[in-house]
Amino acid sequence: MQFIDFHTHIYPEKIVMHATEYLSSTFGKDAEWPGSAENLLIFGMAAGISKFVTLPVAMKESQVRRINEFIIKEASQYEQIIPFGALHADQKNIMEEIDFIKSSGMKGIKIHPNQQGFPIDDERLFDAYTYLSELSIPVLFHCGDLHSDLSNPPRLKKIIKMFPKLKIVAAHFGGWQVFDQAYDMLRKENIHFDMSSSMYLMGLRKTAKFIRHYGADKIFFGTDFPLCDQSAEIERFLMLEIPDDDKEKIAYKNAEEFLDI
């Protein structure tokens, strides 16, 4: 079976150790390896993954362009990388950055409210959401946290209602650590989900329940590299008691259609 990993992270060599440690501390789980592009491809391809969506996060407005240029450079060197871009609510030139992201061939945007320090429904992002809707550029949101509601399902649902044409991917089944709240609130919404950093917490039975609940057509396989072992995630995924056709959709077919690749 083919696999596209819809949720991965890579970092420049000079900060790779610090960034990987920060990711580990955020999720309370030790990363498997330093999050370099080389490690992503070495371990990912050994696990059977052929393409990798990379999701950058800009902690400050001043970092956005530099981070986006790094991701673009890595994608130019490794054809297996599918680049998403970073944005930040503090940006004064956010429309220009969206134009840059689009013209550079990036496939979408990543926003991580909990790390970036602003809510999904921050009014400073509303014009950007409108523009992204017009351009049909998808936004992948980190969703869920026990200690902060910046990215929790009620805020996401508000954005879904306000921007019905925005192409949304809700990471971590729509609510990391608040899975059940997402399960109750997001089932009927016209959005997609990735399943990264979820199976090891939810277990196989609950994961299969969520897939049936949301619908296999709406879900992307993802590992959250370097946080999770890609081989172990694939092994868990293949053990799920869902139809083989649904496994193929989640593993790669949905991503191919959604990203037009």
Side-chain angles (χ1 to χ4, degrees):
M1 185 181 296
Q2 300 181 51
F3 282 90
I4 295 173
D5 190 339
F6 211 93
H7 195 125
T8 71
H9 305 283
I10 57 173
Y11 309 105
E13 197 62 38
K14 65 181 180 180
I15 67 163
V16 66
M17 295 304 299
H18 173 75
T20 302
E21 289 169 2
Y22 179 80
L23 181 68
S24 298
S25 66
T26 299
F27 279 83
K29 181 182 186 301
D30 289 339
E32 295 295 325
W33 305 280
S36 66
E38 291 81 2
N39 282 345
L40 172 67
L41 268 65
I42 289 170
F43 295 109
M45 294 180 72
I49 300 167
S50 59
K51 294 185 182 298
F52 309 84
V53 177
T54 56
L55 305 170
V57 177
M59 305 296 283
K60 302 176 182 178
E61 179 274 337
S62 59
Q63 298 174 338
V64 171
R65 178 56 64 91
R66 184 167 68 252
I67 288 172
N68 286 338
E69 289 176 342
F70 163 72
I71 295 294
I72 291 165
K73 179 182 177 182
E74 296 299 289
S76 72
Q77 294 179 2
Y78 304 105
E79 63 181 5
Q80 299 92 341
I81 288 178
I82 302 169
F84 272 42
L87 291 178
H88 197 286
D90 288 342
Q91 287 178 263
K92 301 298 187 289
N93 64 337
I94 197 164
M95 302 307 185
E96 294 177 17
E97 196 66 31
I98 292 172
D99 287 336
F100 173 75
I101 286 167
K102 181 174 177 60
S103 65
S104 300
M106 291 178 138
K107 289 289 189 177
I109 305 291
K110 166 67 183 287
I111 292 178
H112 196 313
N114 300 81
Q115 288 187 359
Q116 294 179 286
F118 53 81
I120 283 178
D121 56 345
D122 192 315
E123 292 184 2
R124 295 175 296 169
L125 292 169
F126 286 180
D127 288 345
Y129 292 156
T130 298
Y131 193 37
L132 291 166
S133 300
E134 293 170 355
L135 296 176
S136 195
I137 295 176
V139 181
L140 186 147
F141 293 106
H142 168 91
C143 291
D145 196 288
L146 281 178
H147 307 293
S148 166
D149 76 340
L150 293 177
S151 65
N152 283 5
R155 292 189 185 273
L156 178 61
K157 190 155 187 171
K158 177 180 174 181
I159 294 304
I160 294 168
K161 298 305 182 186
M162 290 183 66
F163 303 94
K165 294 184 180 180
L166 184 62
K167 296 177 69 175
I168 292 173
V169 181
H172 318 305
F173 276 124
W176 185 72
Q177 291 190 322
V178 291
F179 298 112
D180 292 337
Q181 185 184 49
Y183 184 93
D184 291 337
M185 296 190 69
L186 301 177
R187 175 184 181 182
K188 296 181 180 180
E189 303 300 340
N190 184 29
I191 62 173
H192 286 75
F193 304 84
D194 82 34
M195 57 190 300
S196 63
S197 287
S198 299
M199 286 190 289
Y200 74 92
L201 291 172
M202 296 168 64
L204 297 180
R205 182 175 297 180
K206 188 169 184 177
T207 299
K209 176 183 176 182
F210 270 57
I211 290 170
R212 291 190 291 268
H213 184 70
Y214 289 139
D217 291 340
K218 294 182 175 182
I219 299 170
F220 306 124
F221 176 81
T223 67
D224 217 348
F225 174 92
L227 195 64
C228 294
D229 182 319
Q230 291 160 305
S231 293
E233 290 297 283
I234 287 177
E235 184 177 350
R236 289 189 186 102
F237 176 77
L238 293 175
M239 291 172 64
L240 291 171
E241 293 186 1
I242 60 174
D244 288 343
D245 287 350
D246 287 349
K247 287 181 180 176
E248 288 191 348
K249 290 177 183 177
I250 296 167
Y252 70 96
K253 287 184 176 179
N254 292 342
E256 287 182 337
E257 181 178 354
F258 187 79
L259 298 172
D260 191 25
I261 57 175

